[in-house]
Amino acid sequence: MMERNGREPWPPEVSEQMREVDRLRRSGRYASALVLIRQLAEKYPKQVRILSELGQTLGIWGGAPAEALVWYERVLELAPGHNTTRLHRALSLARLGRHEEAVADFDALVAGGYRKALVIHMKRAESLAALGRDVEAERDWTLAIEEDPVNPWLLQQRAGARARLGRLEEAVTDLTDALATQEGEDVDPELLRERGGLRARLGDGEGARADFEAGLAAFREGDSPGLLDELRAGLAESARR
């Protein structure tokens, strides 16, 4: 028998059962996956991978972050350096609105050089923004963009942080860069609405009108009706300036 984590024996058949858990989750059979992983956790209560996978089954596939936290805590008691579990704990804490605790976990992961830099910076930025810490959030969006430079969603998020900090021209530049990654039917009217609003705040009435008009032209079936109303209102307001 092979030893895992120096805790207790791991019979060969457990590997197949763990693969079955993953197959069940990915095929949408969450309840069956949960039953199987719970059985394994009861049989091997000190195997950190099994306990972590139970937490992930609850938190990711089951949408139950509070229940998942119990298992993540148990893993980190057994293995404080289990960074994959620390990441999932941070994500669950953030989903529960416990952003200060989530940021502490993200900080620990960054300090430890955890490999998933994009995920950490992106998710820490979201928690920092929720806490009103926009200077730090803008820093993390910038670090995330360094990992994925042409991601329009990341550029949009940094634009939002910069706008809240009063850095409107830089926010416009971010939205312009985001729009440059899109063309034709892929142009996101939300980006145009946001840039139009910023241009209006900067006194660029002509640019604002052009963005609201382009946003209306790019509006697609399935886009939010509220977005359509905002584009129309923005265009009407810019026409009065």
Side-chain angles (χ1 to χ4, degrees):
M1 281 185 192
M2 182 168 55
E3 294 282 334
R4 294 293 180 93
N5 304 313
R7 300 290 180 181
E8 56 187 38
W10 183 305
E13 62 267 22
V14 173
S15 294
E16 178 54 38
Q17 289 174 306
M18 293 293 285
R19 286 192 289 270
E20 179 63 13
V21 168
D22 194 50
R23 284 194 292 269
L24 289 168
R25 293 185 306 201
R26 293 181 185 279
S27 64
R29 298 171 63 189
Y30 165 72
S32 297
L34 184 58
V35 168
L36 180 53
I37 193 66
R38 281 194 188 278
Q39 290 172 347
L40 289 169
E42 290 173 6
K43 192 170 183 179
Y44 303 101
K46 294 185 179 180
Q47 288 290 354
V48 297
R49 182 186 166 198
I50 291 174
L51 302 182
S52 185
E53 288 291 339
L54 174 51
Q56 291 175 52
T57 301
L58 288 162
I60 298 174
W61 281 268
E67 292 179 64
L69 277 178
V70 175
W71 297 99
Y72 297 147
E73 296 288 355
R74 190 170 300 182
V75 170
L76 292 170
E77 287 173 5
L78 292 167
H82 202 269
N83 283 334
T84 296
T85 296
R86 188 172 298 279
L87 173 61
H88 284 291
R89 183 174 72 173
L91 296 174
S92 289
L93 288 166
R95 287 182 63 190
L96 292 167
R98 294 165 60 178
H99 294 291
E100 290 280 5
E101 295 166 87
V103 168
D105 268 344
F106 289 130
D107 287 346
L109 290 164
V110 170
Y114 189 58
R115 66 188 183 281
K116 294 187 178 181
L118 174 59
V119 173
I120 293 171
H121 292 309
M122 179 175 68
K123 292 300 182 180
R124 186 170 65 174
E126 290 177 344
S127 284
L128 289 165
L131 292 166
R133 294 162 59 178
D134 286 313
V135 171
E136 294 164 275
E138 192 272 345
R139 172 209 64 196
D140 265 334
W141 290 125
T142 298
L143 292 169
I145 289 166
E146 289 175 3
E147 298 289 328
D148 190 0
V150 294
N151 186 315
W153 185 82
L154 293 176
L155 289 163
Q156 181 184 17
Q157 301 312 306
R158 186 173 69 176
R162 287 177 164 178
R164 290 190 296 274
L165 292 167
R167 295 161 57 181
L168 302 187
E169 292 183 355
E170 291 174 90
V172 167
T173 297
D174 276 342
L175 293 172
T176 300
D177 290 343
L179 285 161
T181 69
Q182 304 174 345
E183 59 183 25
E185 295 181 357
D186 292 329
V187 173
D188 186 348
E190 184 177 338
L191 295 176
L192 289 161
R193 187 261 299 164
E194 290 186 14
R195 190 174 68 175
L198 291 174
R199 283 176 162 172
R201 290 171 63 184
L202 286 166
D204 181 7
E206 183 177 348
R209 284 193 296 276
D211 276 342
F212 292 130
E213 288 173 350
L216 288 168
F219 191 83
R220 305 155 294 193
E221 183 177 351
D223 283 332
S224 167
L227 174 59
L228 182 60
D229 292 340
E230 290 171 359
L231 287 165
R232 287 171 172 165
L235 180 60
E237 178 64 25
S238 64
R240 288 194 290 269
R241 290 175 182 264

